[in-house]
Amino acid sequence: MAEKTIAAISTPNAVGGISVIRISGPDAIAAADKVFRPVSGKMLQEHKGYTAAYGTVFDGDEPVDDVVATVFRAPKSYTGEDVVEISCHGGLYVTRRVLMALLKNGVLLAGPGEFTKRAFLNGKLSLTEAEAVADLIQAGGEQSLKSARSAMKGSLYHTISSMKDRLLTVSGHIAAFLDYPEEEIDPVESDEIHTVLQDVTGELSGLLSRFDQGKMIREGIETVILGKPNVGKSTLMNLLAGERKSIVTDIPGTTRDVVEGTVMLDGIVLRLADTAGIRETGDVVEQAGVSLALERLETAQLVLAVFDSSSPLSEEDRMLIEKLRDLPVVAVCNKSDLQQQLDIAELRGFFPHLVEISARDHTGVEALSSAVLDLLSLHDAEASSAMLANLRQFSCAQRAFDLLQETLQTLEMGYTLDAIDVALESAISALLELTGERVSDAVVDQVFSHFCVGK
Ligand code: GDP
């Protein structure tokens, strides 16, 4: 166990009402006592856990700030160690001075994610729960928050643990049967192994297939808005963003760069790029914008193809339709407030996910979000169910899945129980690596290196 006492500023590196400096380790309370003079005269050492004291932090003899110190006693703290959290005034300089006062008294500066790493090493969190803490901090929308909270509460951990337990039961039975022939243990039926393996493989396959959905929920959906000039792309982008991000004019070709914006659609984050209108153009700058727009298509998870419903499909529209074949497209027929000239039925033939909106009058946004969720199968993506949150977890799950598939084949080919048990053990090992119960230091270090200092 780590026996060093560490401290860091746990609130953002920004000015705010209050900032929190967290200290954790065996000397956390003694170290805080060295810099903190309580108004009551009662040292923090004399405080029980979950109590707070008001006083002043000193750097030597110089008062730095009036603060509240909260004491947590091991193991009932975030890290599982003794912890003191000092809430001071939220200025950048004053916060750093409080931290400096502690560092001068033998406390070490915490590394990235070191508090959460200690929580993991002390058994307060599984690795998947610790990873969820990072996701929770990053969450940008309602659905990603739900998903991170669910993982933090252990939904993935419990799902994986249940699979592991079932496999362990089978593996234990095989081992007992093979190792203690004289004990008259019931023979292992291949049906018993088969059922468990099939159940677990099925559940793993579900988790693996929901990975992309989960990623979209957590990280937002890479979205491109495309359409010929003047159909209302910028107006749509501004409507979704709720602010003027793109320039809206009557002159075709005004949007020349890709404008970035993050918008929320029904709790899901869209990472939007409003692009130059797609058309043949002699203008070099505009042409560059058009190329950029087309490049975006290659990585887009969602394309909002905008058409002007007040005019029939033009050559430019048809060119765009051609480019968008087989892509994840929602066709947005804009300007529904004007007399309709567009053949909506024909367009629907190309794009089954089609909505009519008026970006100017703000109508049709609900239909748009519904079409997006439909297209990406996110309608029934339950953000609070267990989901694999990153590539590390994905690759462990994939390995367990492959190994179990192999075991099933081994079983069907009638191999010995020994061979089956070896394959089963490897699969269990992959699941233990996923939850962090059997994981190398290098992997643990890698996971926590992505955290910010102070978490
Ligand atoms: P972009 O070139 O595709 O980005 O198009 P803009 O967003 O710049 O809009 C072009 C013109 O169409 C502007 O004059 C907008 O005010 C107008 N416009 C955009 N959306 C609508 C709409 O829903 N209804 C009507 N009537 N006009 C719109």
Side-chain angles (χ1 to χ4, degrees):
M1 203 23 266
E3 68 289 342
K4 300 265 191 296
T5 295
I6 52 169
I9 300 166
S10 282
T11 37
N13 186 22
V15 176
I18 54 169
S19 290
V20 174
I21 295 98
R22 186 191 263 157
I23 315 154
S24 179
D27 298 328
I29 300 174
D33 267 332
K34 286 188 194 158
V35 303
F36 176 70
R37 296 190 200 162
V39 168
S40 68
K42 183 174 163 187
M43 304 284 282
L44 297 175
Q45 294 273 26
E46 300 164 50
H47 277 258
K48 287 198 219 142
Y50 300 133
T51 57
Y54 177 62
T56 304
V57 164
F58 279 76
D59 187 357
D61 289 330
E62 188 192 347
V64 177
D65 194 15
D66 292 344
V67 306
V68 171
T70 313
V71 176
F72 302 84
R73 292 216 173 248
K76 294 185 174 172
S77 72
Y78 181 67
T79 57
E81 305 174 324
D82 279 349
V83 167
V84 178
E85 287 183 358
I86 296 178
S87 305
C88 66
H89 290 95
L92 287 174
Y93 183 68
V94 74
T95 310
R96 278 183 211 145
R97 283 291 305 271
V98 173
L99 177 64
M100 285 305 294
L102 288 159
L103 299 184
K104 284 182 195 170
N105 280 282
V107 175
L108 297 176
L109 185 63
E114 197 167 351
F115 294 110
T116 310
K117 182 174 171 182
R118 289 187 177 196
F120 164 66
L121 294 173
N122 285 325
K124 303 290 285 187
L125 296 167
S126 71
L127 200 55
T128 51
E129 286 159 353
E131 286 168 315
V133 172
D135 285 344
L136 184 80
I137 294 171
Q138 299 290 336
E142 191 50 39
Q143 298 294 334
S144 54
L145 175 64
K146 256 194 205 157
S147 150
R149 263 194 73 72
S150 149
M152 210 173 72
K153 295 286 159 210
S155 61
L156 179 64
Y157 176 75
H158 293 304
T159 303
I160 300 292
S161 282
S162 140
M163 296 181 192
K164 180 196 73 193
D165 289 345
R166 280 173 281 162
L167 297 177
L168 275 172
T169 308
V170 174
S171 163
H173 189 175
I174 296 178
F177 179 72
L178 293 175
D179 295 347
Y180 303 100
E182 71 285 2
E183 293 286 330
E184 293 187 8
I185 291 169
D186 290 340
V188 185
E189 302 294 342
S190 81
D191 273 3
E192 171 197 340
I193 312 180
H194 207 270
T195 311
V196 173
L197 290 194
Q198 283 223 295
D199 286 354
V200 174
T201 337
E203 286 168 36
L204 275 173
S205 145
L207 271 183
L208 289 165
S209 68
R210 285 203 303 275
F211 181 64
D212 283 342
Q213 282 179 350
K215 196 163 148 54
M216 286 193 237
I217 288 177
R218 274 188 316 280
E219 298 174 10
I221 297 158
E222 202 70 53
T223 307
V224 178
I225 301 184
L226 280 181
K228 69 179 178 193
N230 244 9
V231 289
K233 298 182 297 298
S234 304
T235 313
L236 172 63
M237 167 101 169
N238 291 345
L239 163 65
L240 294 176
E243 58 186 284
R244 293 173 62 86
K245 277 214 149 68
S246 300
I247 321 149
V248 180
T249 64
D250 283 328
I251 313 152
T254 332
T255 313
R256 292 183 164 182
D257 274 331
V258 176
V259 182
E260 303 278 356
T262 301
V263 304
M264 197 82 76
L265 202 62
D266 229 8
I268 303 266
V269 174
L270 298 190
R271 297 212 309 260
L272 274 180
D274 170 24
T275 59
I278 302 285
R279 62 168 186 170
E280 298 296 339
T281 170
D283 179 324
V284 192
V285 181
E286 199 190 334
Q287 184 52 50
V290 172
S291 310
L292 216 54
L294 292 175
E295 244 171 57
R296 287 261 160 170
L297 275 184
E298 288 172 20
T299 52
Q301 294 167 305
L302 170 68
V303 181
L304 300 179
V306 186
F307 298 90
D308 182 345
S309 50
S310 68
S311 59
L313 280 182
S314 65
E315 261 322 294
E316 283 171 318
D317 287 324
R318 291 187 189 282
M319 196 178 86
L320 179 67
I321 291 170
E322 207 37 54
K323 289 208 159 65
L324 296 182
R325 260 180 208 289
D326 303 325
L327 291 179
V329 177
V330 171
V332 181
C333 302
N334 188 32
K335 309 196 186 181
S336 64
D337 52 288
L338 300 178
Q339 178 78 36
Q340 184 184 315
Q341 300 281 338
L342 185 70
D343 185 346
I344 302 269
E346 184 193 357
L347 199 56
R348 206 184 282 280
F350 299 113
F351 306 118
H353 298 273
L354 178 146
V355 289
E356 295 178 58
I357 71 161
S358 166
R360 192 196 67 180
D361 297 348
H362 299 197
T363 57
V365 180
E366 269 179 30
L368 175 60
S369 59
S370 184
V372 167
L373 297 187
D374 260 353
L375 174 74
L376 301 174
S377 312
L378 290 175
H379 254 318
D380 38 69
E382 190 38 77
S384 51
S385 64
M387 273 193 247
L388 298 166
N390 52 41
L391 274 178
R392 184 194 73 79
Q393 296 177 2
F394 182 83
S395 71
C396 290
Q398 183 70 57
R399 190 144 34 90
F401 177 82
D402 292 345
L403 284 161
L404 290 176
Q405 289 276 59
E406 264 174 46
T407 318
L408 271 170
Q409 282 165 9
T410 314
L411 190 66
E412 276 152 21
M413 288 190 287
Y415 277 91
T416 62
L417 284 178
D418 266 332
I420 292 167
D421 198 33
V422 169
L424 212 47
E425 295 246 333
S426 310
I428 293 171
S429 200
L431 294 181
L432 287 171
E433 188 179 328
L434 203 166
T435 57
E437 287 157 280
R438 191 187 292 166
V439 72
S440 71
D441 290 351
V443 170
V444 172
D445 288 346
Q446 168 71 14
V447 167
F448 289 100
S449 69
H450 295 305
F451 278 61
C452 44
V453 172
K455 189 60 235 170

